């Protein structure tokens, strides 16, 4: 099976990957309560991130998960362990096990790291709204969601053409009054036509992080989901 399919949502979002956990070592933030960490007048992007528990991220020392994709009778999976404070990553697939530090990568690790960025983006996209640099945002109220046809609000994220694995991509996030993402559209290269649309559903709380564990397309023939999620502080 070609791996390209599983990278269709590979995001340009982590243009500055070193910034993923950039606030983890700030002593002042570590001493703040969850309520104190939340902005008083949040932007929409901030509201989405905090609705998913972003105020708890600084306490996370390790997060593990298995990324699964079903398409028809084909199944693909790989598991990850990430220690964000050290930016240490472990990947386990059917054929390989790889351990590496994202601060000390060479060209032989680029494909593995591209998979990590892709899978982690699906898992923690609301947090990337806070982490990513080089992104622009625009909003619309009361729009029709692509799959459910519900009336929701829309936040569009467009990444710059510089850096990242697939620069220039765009995402349309559809969310309700609770600021939880219900659906999204991925548009490769900021194309006007959707590359793919999926649901965001089956949210589960893992040690303070709200994670959507299931994503489906409009036919139900494509499912991307997470199992074996563990968040340790």
């Amino acid at each position: 099976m070609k791996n390209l399919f599983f990278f269709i949502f590979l995001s340009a979002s982590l243009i500055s990957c070193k910034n993923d956990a950039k606030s983890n070592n700030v002593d002042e933030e570590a001493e703040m309560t969850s309520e104190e960490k939340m902005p008083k007048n949040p932007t929409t992007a901030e509201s989405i991130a905090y609705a998913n528990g972003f105020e708890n991220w600084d306490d996370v020392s390790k997060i593990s998960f298995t990324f699964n994709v079903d398409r028809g009778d084909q199944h693909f999976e790989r598991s990850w362990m990430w220690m964000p404070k050290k930016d240490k990553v472990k990947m386990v697939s059917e054929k390989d096990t790889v351990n590496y530090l994202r601060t000390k990568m060479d060209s032989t690790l680029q494909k593995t790291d591209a998979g990590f960025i892709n899978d982690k983006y699906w898992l923690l996209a609301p947090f990337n709204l806070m982490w990513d640099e080089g992104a622009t945002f625009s909003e619309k109220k009361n729009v029709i969601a692509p799959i459910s046809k519900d009336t929701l609000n829309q936040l569009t994220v467009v990444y710059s053409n510089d850096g990242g694995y697939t620069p220039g991509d765009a995402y349309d996030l559809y969310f309700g009054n609770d600021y939880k993402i219900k659906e999204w559209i991925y548009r490769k290269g900021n194309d006007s036509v959707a590359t793919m649309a999926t649901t965001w559903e089956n949210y589960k709380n893992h040690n303070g992080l709200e994670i959507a564990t299931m994503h489906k397309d409009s036919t139900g023939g494509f499912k991307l989901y997470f199992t074996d999620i563990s968040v340790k502080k």
Side-chain angles (χ1 to χ4, degrees), residues 9 42-52 121 124-132 135-146 150-159 169-187 190 196 198 200:
F9 265 47
T43 64
T44 297
E46 289 172 335
S47 294
I48 291 172
Y50 281 94
N52 287 271
Y121 193 85
L124 299 173
F127 294 177
N128 279 84
L129 299 175
M130 301 289 288
W131 290 332
D132 296 344
T136 58
F137 301 95
S138 60
E139 302 178 42
K140 294 180 181 179
K141 300 288 187 181
N142 301 319
V143 297
I144 303 302
D150 291 340
T151 299
L152 298 170
N153 299 312
Q154 177 184 315
L155 177 69
T156 294
V157 186
V158 181
Y159 290 98
D169 289 349
Y171 298 83
D172 301 317
L173 313 180
Y174 297 85
F175 61 95
N177 293 331
D178 60 356
Y179 289 97
K180 292 283 189 67
I181 302 171
K182 304 296 191 294
E183 303 176 23
W184 73 353
I185 285 176
Y186 164 63
R187 293 183 287 112
N190 197 17
M196 175 175 278
T198 72
W200 277 61

Side-chain angles (χ1 to χ4, degrees), residues 102-218:
R102 300 196 66 247
T103 54
K104 297 181 179 180
M105 292 197 311
D106 57 32
S107 58
T108 64
L109 292 167
Q110 192 168 41
K111 184 177 179 180
T112 299
D113 194 58
F116 172 67
I117 296 301
N118 177 76
D119 299 2
K120 180 170 66 66
Y121 193 85
W122 276 95
L123 186 78
L124 299 173
F127 294 177
N128 279 84
L129 299 175
M130 301 289 288
W131 290 332
D132 296 344
E133 297 178 354
T136 58
F137 301 95
S138 60
E139 302 178 42
K140 294 180 181 179
K141 300 288 187 181
N142 301 319
V143 297
I144 303 302
I147 297 176
S148 66
K149 306 306 179 185
D150 291 340
T151 299
L152 298 170
N153 299 312
Q154 177 184 315
L155 177 69
T156 294
V157 186
V158 181
Y159 290 98
S160 75
N161 290 314
D162 299 322
Y165 289 107
T166 56
D169 289 349
Y171 298 83
D172 301 317
L173 313 180
Y174 297 85
F175 61 95
N177 293 331
D178 60 356
Y179 289 97
K180 292 283 189 67
I181 302 171
K182 304 296 191 294
E183 303 176 23
W184 73 353
I185 285 176
Y186 164 63
R187 293 183 287 112
K188 182 175 176 60
N190 197 17
D191 197 337
S192 59
V193 178
T195 305
M196 175 175 278
T198 72
T199 62
W200 277 61
E201 54 187 288
N202 198 18
Y203 278 86
K204 295 183 179 179
N205 187 290
H206 292 274
N207 223 346
L209 307 187
E210 290 285 334
I211 296 174
T213 59
M214 175 62 73
H215 307 275
K216 301 176 185 176
D217 68 3
S218 59

Side-chain angles (χ1 to χ4, degrees), residues 22-91:
K22 61 185 178 182
S23 64
N24 283 336
N25 296 320
V26 179
D27 292 339
E28 292 81 0
E29 290 191 5
E31 295 174 354
M32 296 171 66
T33 65
S34 295
E35 291 75 15
E36 290 172 333
K37 291 179 182 179
M38 296 178 67
K40 293 182 179 180
N41 297 297
T43 64
T44 297
E46 289 172 335
S47 294
I48 291 172
Y50 281 94
N52 287 271
F54 185 74
E55 69 275 11
N56 298 309
W57 176 255
D58 287 350
D59 300 324
V60 175
S61 64
K62 183 169 71 172
I63 183 168
S64 304
F65 60 93
T66 298
F67 172 89
N68 303 268
V69 175
D70 292 343
R71 189 174 193 181
D73 59 357
Q74 295 180 325
H75 175 78
F76 172 86
E77 68 178 64
R78 59 187 166 208
S79 298
W80 299 96
M81 182 280 294
W82 179 33
M83 301 175 69
K85 296 179 187 296
K86 299 178 180 179
D87 230 355
K88 182 179 180 180
V89 176
K90 178 180 180 180
M91 185 277 291

